[in-house]
Every structure is written in structure tokens, then in C-alpha cells.
Amino acid sequence: MTEGLDNLDSYRRRFLTALGIGGVAAAIGGVRIVGLATAKSDDEAVTDEARWGMLIDTSKCGEGCNRCVEACNEENGLTGFDRQQTDAQWIRTLEVRDKQTGHVTSLPMLCQHCEHPPCVDVCPTGASFRRADGIVLVNKHTCIGCRYCMMACPYKARSFIHEELTDQKPWAPRGKGTVESCTFCVHRVDRGDAPACVEACGEAANGAMMFGNLNDPDSEIAIRAKQVSSRQIRADLNLNTAVRYEGI
Amino acid sequence: MTTQSVNIRYANIRGSSTGYFVWIVILILVSAAGLLAAHTMESQGHVVTGMNNQVVWGMPHVFAIFLILTASGVLNVASVGSVFGKAEYKPFGRLSALLAVTFLIGGLMVLVLDLGRPDRLIVAMTTYNFKSIFAWNIFLYTGFMVVVVVYLWMMFERRMQVYSRMVGIAALTWRFILTTGTGSIFGFLVARQAYDAAILAPMFILMSLSFGTALFILVSGAISRFTEMMVPDAMMERLKRLLGLFVMAVVYFVIVYHLANLYIVEHQDFEKFVLLDGGVYTLLFWGVQILIGTIIPLVLVYLKKSAQRSIVHLAAALVIIGSFAQLYVLIIGGQAYPMSLFPGKQVSSSFYDGVIASYIPSMPEVLLGIGGVSTALLITTIAIRILPFLPERDADHIDAEPSASGESV
């Protein structure tokens, strides 16, 4: 379970080798992660060389498909209590219906990892923070559970832990009385993998979700984002989100 | 000005009657129930409350913001006395400042005990993000407490009374900044239809003046009933007129806020929700905030020419009831109305997107809120026994009869 964490250097060697023979993307089920930076060890500081982002092609979202959600829940240990109002959801599928035309689109909604995140602005203790590589996280040690970030997030991306949790994943610590949201699977990104939702979407042969470094002009995500028309949700707020959508 | 104020005689209550002790015991029990409720919320988690991932701020926030706004507003009596030099108000400056401190303590108690991790209060006091309005408010609230305590000292200490106007001005300024900060907690939130409006800041200032004046009328009325303290007719008349003025000012801001939303198409659905088909929120808005909390008090205040006490007390009580409805509609209704992720489109999900969120206040959170009010009243009741906060009867006359301290309670 934790071998990737314990053995980062060897993982990196293996990863680089795999990259070298050019078979990485195919090897993990066709997930397009070309453009991921090489994995880094724990003592390496995060820099702003990368800005991690996601490009979601909503036209490829399978009807009724919930693979990304299931993968996220499994990866991060988001077991609920069958209490829909208070159970945490880091990613959810949204059905969007045009009131005039009746056209329906399905898409995954998650933390948009804004460049100017309102949740970070309002957090009194600075527990909500943005890493240099653009990933927005909650420091579980300094979150006081005031929920102001949940008031401020325009995407309803955050959840509050309403009750005691057990069986947590070591890489996704969660605590009663604190707020949490999608971490872009930061533990996977740091070791060179794509987030669990992206991987699962690829495995389901939808391939609707692409993850990578928006700052690297040669990355697949940057090339695609430049070619096709995509948009930010609530672009009017000018938050420069890291998650972009095609087909809406 | 100063010479007049030094001639005001103050007394503490004797506090030896059965009634006094019964009242103290009631307040202790209710405060303890509030603490117990907070303990339950912390040990079992917020699942025991009605709050959820949709309505993240609930009853505790309605109570906390009511208490904080009222704390700021109730100091108005002291401000009018020492800053604007109105002699009728001066004898009541100490009581006004005492209520400001105790209600702020009550409000902060509710706010802190509602946190997911109240045990981390020390983190909130030592780690700051200065872009956060919450972080500013931590300073505004604690600073207000300090300013008012200094203000009280100036009012208590004869030698210091020359500075009381200066400190009074500081406190007055601080109050405006504090309530601006409280309004901006909501006003600066871009995400939600109900908020994201700078008008909320001045509206909160006026709400604080209105709620604070109402509270002062009620508390001074209650104290007058059980002690020898008396609110003179002239003072009652002024308080009554002030209350009417503030209630009208609040409703002016409420009207402008809703008119702006009605005019701007993107906010019209939200207005339809609050004004027409929002169920409990619509009922609270029209029935309680507007009818009971605004129109009836205004009629009571302006129709009766003389300041008949029971009428003014009733008007003040109705204003307080209306204030809770106003905060409930704004805070809870504002969250219950779904965020507009895709304007012009209908969204749905497993996370209650696009639907009116449900919120049913639970016993623990209501108890916590009432516990905060009770704690504020408890400290007040004890303080007026220990120190001479209350003016003696006829104290507003310079030639007041000297009497031994101690009143009939």
C-alpha cells in the first residue's frame, strides 16, 4: 500500500525508465499523463515550474458513468455513513440542463484549484493554502473548522467532517471538525502519477479527463488546451481555475 | 459636561433577594446547558446539529452575529452621552458599556464553541491570514473588548473622566469598523447570490444600532422593574425616537438591497425565493422581519405620542424578534438558495446542486445560542451587583439626593 511512498527513489528510477521506453501512457491503461513532471522525493520543495491542471472533455463523459467518483472515494478512503447531507464528496457528477433548449451535459465537478482561490483568501488561519504548483489544500493541523471556506467556494467543492472517521488512508488524512476537498491526489502527483479519477476515467475507456502540467508547453494537456475551446466554470469570477472543460 | 457627569451617583444592587438568586440560578443552568450542547457537538461531531455540507452556518451563527451586532449597538447609549454630550444618556453610559462587553463575550463564546475544532482556538489566536475578514474580526472583537474596558475605566474613575470623550470617540469609530467587518464577512463573498454586496456592511451597522437600542430599552426596563434604578421620561422618549429612526434606517437598507437584486436579472430568482416562494424564509421575511419586527414597532413608536413604557418595551421586544428573523433569512436562507454554477441552466447532483438545501435547527445548536445570551445576561447580572454600574434614581439631576449605595433587590 505504501511502497510508493517508502521507496520514492526507486520508484523514480522505475518511472524514468518507463518514460524512457515511451510506454508509460499505454502501460497504465491509456491514461494520458504525458507531460507529468518527473516524480520527486519528499525532501524536494514544490516549485511553481509546474501548474497542475485538468482538461475534461464533457462529450466523452459516459451517461450514468460514475467511475471518477468511485475511484476518488476508494483512493482517499471517503467512506460515508449513508447520510447524504453530511457525507463528504470530493468529486461529484453534475447534470447540467439548458433551461431553454433542454440539452443535457454530464460532467465531474471537483475543486477547481483556482489561481486565486476564495477559500484561501477567507481562511482566518491560513490552513487553506495553495501550493506553488497550484494545488489547493487544507492543512489539517491548523484548520479550526470555521467553514468560512465553504461559504466562499463558488464550486461547492468542500466538505466538512461531521463525525468520527475510521480506516483512513495514510496518504489522505482526514479529521472530524475540519474541512477537506479534492487534493488532485497530491500524493500520487508527487510520485509522478495522475489523480485516481483521471486514471479510472482512462480505464473505463472514456478518457474524458486529462491531467498534466499546464505550464509545460509540450505537455499533452497544454497542447490540447491550446487547440480546442475550453472554458472555466464561473469564468466571470476570474479565478483562473486549473480545471477546464470542453463541450460546455 | 464633565462636571455634570461627576455628580451622577451610581450604585450597585444589593442582590440579596430570593428573586435575584433564582434568576442567577436560571442563568447558570441555561449557560451550562449551552456548554453541554457545545460539548456534544464537539465530541459527536456536527452531525448532531442541523448543519450540513449545504448549510454550513446555522443557528449558532444567527445567535453569534445577533450578539456581536447587539454588543456594538448597545454601546450607542454611552457614545451619545460622552461623544455627543447628551446629558440624559450619561447616567446610563456604564450600563451600556457593560452590556457591550458581556454581549460580545456571549457572541464570541457561541462562535468559538461552534467551531469544528474549538480546542484549536490558540491556532486562531496565533496564526493569521491577514487577507481573511475573519482574521480581521478576531482583532476587531478583541480590540473592541479592550477599548470598552478602558472606556468603562474612564467612566468609573473620576480622575480619568476628562479622557472619556476621547476614548468614547475611539470606541465609536471602532464600533463602525467592527460592524463593517461583520457585514463584510458576507458582503465580500462572491460565491453566493445572497451575499457579494457591499451594502451589507452599512446595513449591518444600522442593524447593530437598531438591535442594540432595542436591547438597551429591554434591559434597562427590566432592571428598573426590579431595582430602584429609573429611566427618566425624557430618556425614554429619546430612546423611543432613536429606536424608530434606526428601525427605519434598517428597512431602508433592506429595501435598497432587495430592489438592486430585483433589478439585476441574475439575482431575480433569489429574490423570488426570499420574497415569494421560499417557504419558511418567505414567511420569516414578511411575517416576522417586516411585519412584527419593522411595521408594528414603527406604528407603536410613532403613533403613541408619549413614551408609554410598556409600548416602547413591546416595540423593542418585537425589534429583537424581527432581528432574529432577519439574520435567519440572510444567513440560512442565503445558503439554502443554491449557488449558480451555470447561470441559465438547471443543475442536479448527489450533492444537492440546484436545489434548495434543507436545514432544520437541532436542539444542541439552539441551546448553544441561548447559552450565549444567557452567559451575557449572567455576567451582567453579577457585574451590577459587584460594581456600581447603575445610576441612582433621579441621578440625571445634578441635585440628586444622596443615598446610601444599595438598592432594594
Side-chain angles (χ1 to χ4, degrees):
Chain A
M1 204 158 62
T2 55
E3 70 177 341
L5 288 174
D6 296 335
N7 240 329
L8 275 177
D9 283 339
S10 84
Y11 188 89
R12 176 161 63 173
R13 273 194 298 280
R14 276 188 281 134
F15 185 78
L16 288 173
T17 315
L19 256 187
I21 58 170
V24 175
I28 50 172
V31 179
R32 296 170 290 180
I33 54 156
V34 182
L36 279 185
T38 53
K40 37 178 231 60
S41 64
D42 277 349
D43 49 7
E44 238 178 294
V46 175
T47 69
D48 58 3
E49 274 171 41
R51 170 145 197 233
W52 298 113
M54 209 178 260
L55 184 61
I56 297 168
D57 186 349
T58 58
S59 65
K60 291 183 182 165
C61 259
E63 203 183 315
C65 175
N66 217 24
R67 280 296 296 130
C68 53
V69 178
E70 288 159 9
C72 174
N73 290 347
E74 196 177 320
E75 176 73 23
N76 297 294
L78 305 185
T79 48
F81 298 89
D82 277 332
R83 285 190 264 273
Q84 210 182 347
Q85 293 198 337
T86 49
D87 284 347
Q89 293 195 31
W90 290 11
I91 182 171
R92 61 193 192 268
T93 48
L94 261 190
E95 198 160 274
V96 184
R97 192 181 138 273
D98 191 301
K99 283 181 195 164
Q100 180 69 39
T101 64
H103 181 261
V104 177
T105 317
S106 279
L107 54 89
M109 175 56 69
L110 63 159
C111 171
Q112 305 285 297
H113 297 276
C114 312
E115 186 189 353
H116 308 289
C119 57
V120 172
D121 286 348
V122 301
C123 177
T125 64
S128 270
F129 70 104
R130 185 177 176 272
R131 268 184 16 159
D133 59 5
I135 300 180
V136 175
L137 298 170
V138 179
N139 180 341
K140 301 288 170 186
H141 300 286
T142 50
C143 174
I144 56 173
C146 72
R147 286 105 76 203
Y148 197 15
C149 55
M150 298 176 74
M151 292 291 279
C153 174
Y155 305 102
K156 206 164 177 278
R158 293 200 155 182
S159 296
F160 181 68
I161 309 297
H162 287 79
E163 47 200 309
E164 199 75 53
L165 300 172
T166 50
D167 293 333
Q168 299 184 38
K169 305 285 184 190
W171 51 83
R174 311 171 63 210
K176 182 184 73 185
T178 61
V179 174
E180 58 182 30
S181 56
C182 156
T183 64
F184 256 177
C185 282
V186 65
H187 57 286
R188 294 171 61 102
V189 172
D190 280 349
R191 67 175 191 235
D193 286 346
C197 56
V198 176
E199 189 178 291
C201 185
E203 282 168 358
N206 288 334
M209 302 170 89
M210 185 188 286
F211 183 81
N213 178 5
L214 295 167
N215 279 355
D216 174 6
D218 299 324
S219 68
E220 192 184 353
I221 187 170
I223 292 167
R224 172 115 186 126
K226 198 173 178 184
Q227 282 170 349
V228 299
S229 164
S230 67
R231 55 166 286 203
Q232 309 173 47
I233 294 174
R234 289 300 310 262
D236 58 314
L237 300 175
N238 207 15
L239 303 173
N240 191 12
T241 57
V243 180
R244 305 292 175 112
Y245 294 84
E246 290 177 50
I248 54 169
Chain B
M1 234 161 43
T2 315
T3 48
Q4 201 177 34
S5 64
V6 294
N7 286 303
I8 300 166
R9 280 177 231 285
Y10 293 91
N12 37 353
I13 59 168
R14 198 176 294 135
S16 54
S17 68
T18 317
Y20 181 83
F21 283 108
V22 169
W23 176 237
I24 291 272
V25 168
I26 291 172
L27 292 176
I28 288 175
L29 289 178
V30 176
S31 303
L35 292 177
L36 190 68
H39 176 71
T40 311
M41 282 163 63
E42 200 196 346
S43 56
Q44 304 202 20
H46 275 58
V47 71
V48 299
T49 72
M51 292 177 271
N52 49 52
N53 282 326
Q54 287 57 245
V55 176
V56 302
W57 285 356
M59 225 40 194
H61 302 81
V62 171
F63 273 94
I65 290 170
F66 167 78
L67 286 163
I68 290 166
L69 288 180
T70 306
S72 165
V74 79
L75 191 65
N76 203 45
V77 170
S79 295
V80 175
S82 60
V83 178
F84 302 108
K86 299 269 184 247
E88 290 93 336
Y89 287 82
K90 282 209 174 138
F92 299 96
R94 292 182 183 182
L95 176 61
S96 152
L98 172 67
L99 288 169
V101 173
T102 57
F103 272 67
L104 189 66
I105 291 173
L108 293 183
M109 170 185 140
V110 177
L111 206 57
V112 167
L113 291 179
D114 169 75
L115 292 175
R117 295 295 305 260
D119 53 311
R120 288 184 180 168
L121 182 61
I122 192 72
V123 175
M125 303 301 285
T126 52
T127 320
Y128 292 106
N129 162 30
F130 286 104
K131 203 177 175 187
S132 165
I133 297 159
F134 252 21
W136 306 349
N137 279 347
I138 293 170
F139 286 98
L140 290 173
Y141 298 153
T142 48
F144 181 70
M145 198 97 74
V146 172
V147 170
V148 179
V149 168
V150 172
Y151 194 17
L152 266 174
W153 177 42
M154 304 287 141
M155 288 193 269
F156 267 91
E157 181 60 63
R158 252 163 221 241
R159 290 173 296 140
M160 292 294 174
Q161 280 181 3
V162 283
Y163 302 111
S164 87
R165 182 161 191 268
M166 211 171 67
V167 180
I169 292 170
L172 179 69
T173 313
W174 202 284
R175 287 169 48 208
F176 284 128
I177 299 172
L178 183 146
T179 32
T180 299
T182 309
S184 302
I185 289 176
F186 301 95
F188 289 5
L189 285 181
V190 292
R192 294 172 192 264
Q193 299 279 307
Y195 311 139
D196 187 20
I199 196 174
L200 291 178
M203 188 164 107
F204 270 57
I205 294 178
L206 267 309
M207 283 157 70
S208 91
L209 290 167
S210 169
F211 306 171
T213 305
L215 177 81
F216 189 84
I217 289 170
L218 287 179
V219 171
S220 62
I223 295 176
S224 303
R225 196 189 147 106
F226 296 109
T227 75
E228 283 176 11
M229 187 189 88
M230 196 191 78
V231 183
D233 288 345
M235 175 67 176
M236 210 58 206
E237 180 63 29
R238 281 183 179 277
L239 284 173
K240 182 189 88 164
R241 284 207 305 256
L242 260 190
L243 182 68
L245 192 69
F246 291 146
V247 169
M248 279 197 293
V250 169
V251 81
Y252 164 78
F253 277 99
V254 169
I255 290 170
V256 175
Y257 166 84
H258 286 292
L259 272 183
N261 277 347
L262 282 168
Y263 194 89
I264 300 164
V265 179
E266 70 164 312
H267 295 311
Q268 283 174 357
D269 284 347
F270 170 70
E271 284 302 314
K272 194 163 157 272
F273 167 68
V274 174
L275 304 179
L276 287 178
D277 54 20
V280 65
Y281 304 103
T282 304
L283 185 72
L284 283 174
F285 178 78
W286 289 113
V288 186
Q289 181 184 338
I290 297 300
L291 182 66
I292 294 175
T294 306
I295 295 174
I296 297 179
L298 284 177
V299 169
L300 291 176
V301 163
Y302 287 108
L303 270 193
K304 283 270 173 188
K305 269 215 152 169
S306 67
Q308 201 184 326
R309 277 154 207 273
S310 55
I311 300 278
V312 182
H313 291 157
L314 176 64
L318 295 180
V319 168
I320 297 282
I321 293 170
S323 73
F324 272 91
Q326 181 171 16
L327 289 169
Y328 194 94
V329 171
L330 183 76
I331 298 172
I332 317 246
Q335 296 172 81
Y337 187 77
M339 274 188 276
S340 172
L341 281 171
F342 294 89
K345 302 198 180 189
Q346 179 65 45
V347 292
S348 58
S349 77
S350 57
F351 209 45
Y352 301 92
D353 287 283
V355 295
I356 306 297
S358 88
Y359 168 77
I360 299 157
S362 73
M363 192 52 89
E365 49 189 322
V366 175
L367 278 180
L368 173 59
I370 294 174
V373 177
S374 172
T375 303
L377 293 174
L378 178 64
I379 304 171
T380 310
T381 310
I382 293 171
I384 58 173
R385 185 177 192 253
I386 297 171
L387 288 169
F389 278 99
L390 307 179
E392 290 191 347
R393 189 175 281 267
D394 293 335
D396 55 334
H397 301 304
I398 299 165
D399 299 318
E401 240 179 83
S403 72
S405 79
E407 308 211 349
S408 66
V409 169

